[in-house]
Amino acid sequence: MVLLLGPVQSYASRCLRREKLTDPWRGNRVVGAMFMAGEFTDVAAHIAALRKDASLLAPTGKAGVVRVDQAHVLPALVPTIDNDWLVDPGPHSDRYGFAFTLDLDRTDTSLTHAYT
């Protein structure tokens, strides 16, 4: 399975408010902290740790400032994470898209439960 994400969200929904237009964008880490509290795993961070390759955590913004686009998965899907990469949309966006593959045959079904 290949999933393509972004560029769909604006910087405004992922960054802290700037006082002036000339101020640099700064990522809002609150969303990431909530995902961590919910035991979600950042797909790119997981692959980067496995491969010992910090370049996989490069900013998704073309200006190279913030890793805006991310994907997070629940614990049952962590073993399914196979690969991730940036997708260049050409001149039509201010940032790269993010794609990743999951091998769903490796889903840890012991971590799933019925929705109630």
Side-chain angles (χ1 to χ4, degrees), residues 62 88-94:
K62 288 186 178 179
D88 188 352
H92 306 294
S93 179
D94 61 351

Side-chain angles (χ1 to χ4, degrees), residues 76-77 79 104-113:
L77 293 178
L104 296 179
D105 290 335
R106 299 191 315 233
T107 301
D108 185 347
T109 57
S110 72
L111 297 174
T112 62
H113 57 84

Side-chain angles (χ1 to χ4, degrees), residues 52-70:
K52 296 178 175 62
D53 183 359
S55 72
L56 298 172
L57 300 174
T60 56
K62 288 186 178 179
V65 180
V66 178
R67 187 167 70 101
V68 177
D69 297 294
Q70 302 174 22

